[in-house]
Amino acid sequence: MATTHLLTPPRLHHPSPSPSPSPAARLRATASLAHPLLPSRPRLSALHSHSPSPRHHRLRRTMSVRSSLIDPDGGALVELVAPPDRLPALRAEADALPRVRLAPVDLQWAHVLAEGWASPLRGFMREAEYLQSLHFNCIRLPDGGLVNMSLPIVLAIGDAEKERIGDKPDVALEGPDGGVVAILRRVEIYPHNKEERIARIWGTTAPGLPYVDEAIASAGNWLIGGDLEVLEPIKYNDGLDHYRLSPRQLRNEFDKRGADAVFAFQLRNPVHNGHALLMNDTRRRLLEMGYKNPILLLHPLGGFTKADDVPLPVRMEQHSKVLEDGVLDPETTIVSIFPSPMHYAGPTEVQWHAKARINAGANFYIVGRDPAGMGHPTEKRDLYNPDHGKKVLSMAPGLEKLNILPFKVAAYDTVAKKMAFFDPSRSQDFLFISGTKMRTFAKNGENPPDGFMCPGGWKVLVDYYNSLQAEEVTPVPV
């Protein structure tokens, strides 16, 4: 598939300084766009506020034409990959250390830590960091400040590994293939209370939570934390590594393009025209507020996802077709893979998704209905209130410098025969097509209504599900 244009379109002219009033000042003049989510709170969505707030004054003081105007959490990216000249010494050191084998999800978290997505974390959490994350959704810095950290990033080990490590201060971490990936230094081992962890992250211990089944239920009864030193950049050799831009690479790309605003859109599903409507409308609104060159970070999640989600390679091919068909503008869009695993933990997880994009240089974050949510695993209902994600983001400690952009609901307009913003006054004219329904259409070879998705993107999905059906009917040699 053609992909190079997604990451390196022609360089845009660097924007000139914004005329008065500045975009930040105009953030306060957008009362007609929507109502504040929680009027009692001073911190409101930048595009949804009626009056100035301390947060907006901070924006006004720091506004510039560089996307890097938003600092990483803790003030600097914490990148944990060792310099190349240290590699021989690290390999020799690792040979003499006790070893811990990483599962595929553990490797994804090592990747997240190595590139600075979880800054200012310096490795898998020790107990003090774990307890703060688990109970407060944030971590206190040495200077007294707080950074959001709603998901614990931890590494589980079993009794045998704990015994083998003993009182050794450092351990070597092996990838799933047995090769040494990193050294974990000054380790601390502490109990892994799985029930407490699951209950606090998901709000339920019901069976059938995908991440729990994949990464927690069968994990060891101990957690090991320490400072991480990764030997080399983590690669997957799956043909998609060129999409996996680190926070530093993304910040450099935003600056190269002269972005004065970066708005991030997290997704784990194929892009339909409703998504595109929301993203294009967000850019239009930012331009109306005086920004000269807002850049969209289309940021599909690339780590663990549940079995019935569309696989990453198929999604990336579908995203490519969306840009090729002109549904999104490749000159103002960067498509990159976010390496994190997916928890499906709703309002708790969406804070992590937003926090990580701060470290990547995004100063706006789009949030919609039921972010990071899923159906209840044992009951016929949503696991989370679909409005709570955006409300939680508007209040979450440690995310004050990020502008949260709740978007209007989009659905298929049966009269206009296209995706449009839902109009309650003629609700009978709108059709809501869920991700499950979309996948059902593709599996059954049915076409969605015209205007739901670009033809090239839809063909990618149909071809994928056809290939699955072909595999199911192919006889297995005996």
Side-chain angles (χ1 to χ4, degrees):
M1 64 180 174
T3 56
T4 54
H5 71 288
L6 300 184
L7 299 179
T8 55
R11 181 173 178 176
L12 305 178
H13 294 295
H14 198 283
S16 57
S18 302
S20 181
S22 70
R26 294 184 68 178
L27 287 172
R28 301 188 294 274
T30 57
S32 61
L33 292 176
H35 60 278
L37 292 171
L38 296 167
S40 62
R41 292 280 298 191
R43 180 174 172 250
L44 306 174
S45 162
L47 294 185
H48 290 245
S49 60
H50 287 289
S51 58
S53 71
R55 182 185 186 193
H56 297 150
H57 289 304
R58 285 196 299 273
L59 279 170
R60 180 173 55 190
R61 288 198 300 270
T62 60
M63 187 61 64
S64 77
V65 296
R66 290 172 59 86
S67 65
S68 53
L69 64 93
I70 187 167
D71 289 333
D73 278 345
L77 279 176
V78 176
E79 297 169 291
L80 304 175
V81 179
D85 60 2
R86 278 184 48 76
L87 186 57
L90 290 172
R91 289 199 184 281
E93 180 185 0
D95 287 341
L97 296 176
R99 295 197 174 198
V100 170
R101 175 68 65 91
L102 300 179
V105 169
D106 299 327
L107 182 66
Q108 292 165 10
W109 281 123
H111 184 178
V112 165
L113 291 165
E115 293 186 340
W117 296 99
S119 295
L121 278 188
R122 303 199 64 85
F124 288 103
M125 290 178 175
R126 297 183 176 93
E127 188 174 37
E129 295 166 324
Y130 171 68
L131 292 175
Q132 291 179 72
S133 173
L134 191 67
H135 292 275
F136 309 140
N137 284 1
C138 55
I139 292 177
R140 189 168 296 282
L141 300 175
D143 65 4
L146 290 176
V147 295
N148 194 277
M149 190 65 67
S150 63
L151 290 184
I153 301 179
V154 292
L155 178 61
I157 60 172
D159 294 343
E161 290 170 307
K162 178 178 182 292
E163 183 70 21
R164 189 164 59 249
I165 293 167
D167 60 358
K168 302 287 196 309
D170 304 333
V171 302
L173 303 183
E174 297 178 341
D177 63 356
V180 176
V181 171
I183 293 175
L184 195 63
R185 301 190 183 281
R186 294 172 291 281
V187 301
E188 177 185 346
I189 299 175
Y190 54 100
H192 184 194
N193 185 333
K194 299 178 190 179
E195 184 178 25
E196 179 188 32
R197 179 182 173 190
I198 295 165
R200 292 203 65 88
I201 293 175
W202 283 271
T204 181
T205 56
L209 297 168
Y211 186 90
V212 172
D213 291 345
E214 176 71 18
I216 298 179
S218 61
N221 294 320
W222 304 92
L223 298 175
I224 182 169
D227 295 340
L228 192 67
E229 189 169 14
V230 179
L231 273 63
E232 296 178 284
I234 292 173
K235 303 295 181 184
Y236 300 85
N237 301 313
D238 57 357
L240 299 175
D241 282 330
H242 64 288
Y243 280 116
R244 294 184 175 95
L245 300 185
S246 69
R248 183 169 301 280
Q249 289 171 319
L250 285 169
R251 285 173 173 268
N252 290 341
E253 185 68 19
F254 299 148
D255 288 339
K256 184 177 77 173
R257 298 194 190 193
D260 58 353
V262 176
F263 56 109
F265 188 79
Q266 145 98 24
L267 71 167
R268 59 177 175 83
N269 283 310
V271 174
H272 57 62
N273 288 350
H275 295 138
L277 174 67
L278 298 167
M279 290 181 270
N280 288 327
D281 188 66
T282 297
R283 188 171 196 276
R284 176 189 62 78
R285 292 156 69 192
L286 291 171
L287 288 168
E288 287 179 352
M289 286 189 292
Y291 290 95
K292 300 300 183 184
N293 188 25
I295 294 294
L296 165 65
L297 173 59
L298 184 64
H299 215 195
L301 185 136
F304 164 79
T305 55
K306 55 190 176 71
D308 64 345
D309 281 349
V310 177
L312 179 63
V314 179
R315 285 186 278 132
M316 296 309 295
E317 184 179 359
Q318 194 269 349
H319 298 346
S320 175
K321 295 299 183 184
V322 167
L323 273 82
E324 287 180 13
D325 288 359
V327 178
L328 295 173
D329 183 357
E331 290 195 346
T332 58
T333 302
I334 294 175
V335 180
S336 180
I337 293 172
F338 177 44
S340 176
M342 187 77 188
H343 277 58
Y344 305 91
T348 297
E349 184 172 17
V350 75
Q351 295 173 66
W352 158 245
H353 292 166
K355 173 249 172 50
R357 275 41 180 245
I358 291 175
N359 287 330
N363 48 3
F364 292 87
Y365 185 79
I366 302 175
V367 60
R369 181 186 181 278
D370 198 22
M374 59 172 279
H376 194 284
T378 61
E379 302 174 18
K380 292 185 177 180
R381 62 179 176 87
D382 289 337
L383 185 54
Y384 306 104
N385 183 305
D387 292 325
H388 281 183
K390 61 186 176 184
K391 290 181 179 180
V392 165
L393 279 186
S394 75
M395 302 181 288
L399 297 181
E400 292 85 359
K401 60 188 174 183
L402 183 66
N403 298 284
I404 306 302
L405 307 177
F407 56 61
K408 295 179 284 185
V409 176
Y412 185 76
D413 187 333
T414 59
V415 175
K417 298 191 181 307
K418 65 178 183 178
M419 297 298 287
F421 291 121
F422 178 67
D423 181 355
S425 67
R426 53 184 191 92
S427 58
Q428 70 281 359
D429 295 334
F430 286 86
L431 177 66
F432 288 89
I433 303 175
S434 66
T436 300
K437 192 168 186 177
M438 175 184 68
R439 291 190 292 269
T440 301
F441 278 143
K443 287 178 183 177
N444 296 337
E446 302 174 32
N447 289 322
D450 289 342
F452 172 73
M453 184 183 290
C454 67
W458 183 251
K459 185 177 184 303
V460 171
L461 295 186
V462 172
D463 289 348
Y464 164 65
Y465 285 111
N466 284 344
S467 71
L468 291 185
Q469 292 171 357
E471 290 175 6
E472 290 174 359
V473 300
T474 301
V476 178
V478 263

